[in-house]
Amino acid sequence: MTANMPSPPNHRPESPLHSVNWPLVLGLAAIAFVRPLFSIVGLSDALGKPATPIVLTVAISLAWILIVGLTRVRRPVLTPALAGAAYGVFAIATSGLLVRGIPVALFGSTSILITNVVWGTACGLLALLLQRMRGVR
């Protein structure tokens, strides 16, 4: 009898975006800014390219995987994917617009966003695996 009853008017299924920890997304994106900061202050040149950007990318990825994988983040794949998108938007806004100009930033924006979302998603999948290995549901 209750199977055919409509849902209460205020009951809506929770959207995946509503259950995202937005401060964590922005915190993960901020961690990723270590990489461009190294370039801005000249540490990437001083420590050597291409090794420094590669090492920093691996370190940032490990940080994202461990932070999400060792906690009970509700959306372990979506959270770092959104962090990648947020980092991409910040990178476009700061480096692209300020340094290279609007036409170059607009042309390269799609590839920057896609690359960073894929990077975040990959980190999220590894974080999900870590959560599952720990028994987190």
Side-chain angles (χ1 to χ4, degrees):
M1 181 177 213
T2 60
N4 294 329
M5 293 181 61
S7 299
N10 292 334
H11 176 56
R12 293 184 193 144
E14 187 178 88
S15 160
L17 294 178
H18 282 100
S19 61
V20 169
N21 182 336
W22 290 103
L24 178 60
V25 168
L26 295 176
L28 294 173
I31 290 170
F33 261 99
V34 166
R35 192 168 174 235
L37 285 175
F38 263 61
S39 256
I40 291 168
V41 300
L43 285 173
S44 288
D45 290 329
L47 298 173
K49 285 186 177 178
T52 302
I54 292 169
V55 168
L56 289 172
T57 300
V58 169
I60 293 163
S61 300
L62 283 174
W64 284 15
I65 293 163
L66 292 174
I67 289 167
V68 174
L70 295 176
T71 59
R72 293 186 177 272
V73 173
R74 289 181 63 191
R75 302 285 183 186
V77 177
L78 185 59
T79 299
L82 290 171
Y87 170 72
V89 168
F90 296 149
I92 291 165
T94 56
S95 143
L97 293 177
L98 299 175
V99 177
R100 296 182 184 103
I102 292 174
V104 174
L106 291 176
F107 183 72
S109 297
T110 304
S111 63
I112 290 170
L113 286 174
I114 290 170
T115 300
N116 284 293
V117 169
V118 168
W119 170 41
T121 302
C123 289
L125 289 169
L126 291 171
L128 175 63
L129 178 63
L130 181 56
Q131 280 189 350
R132 295 278 165 87
M133 289 172 50
R134 295 179 48 243
V136 175
R137 289 267 166 191

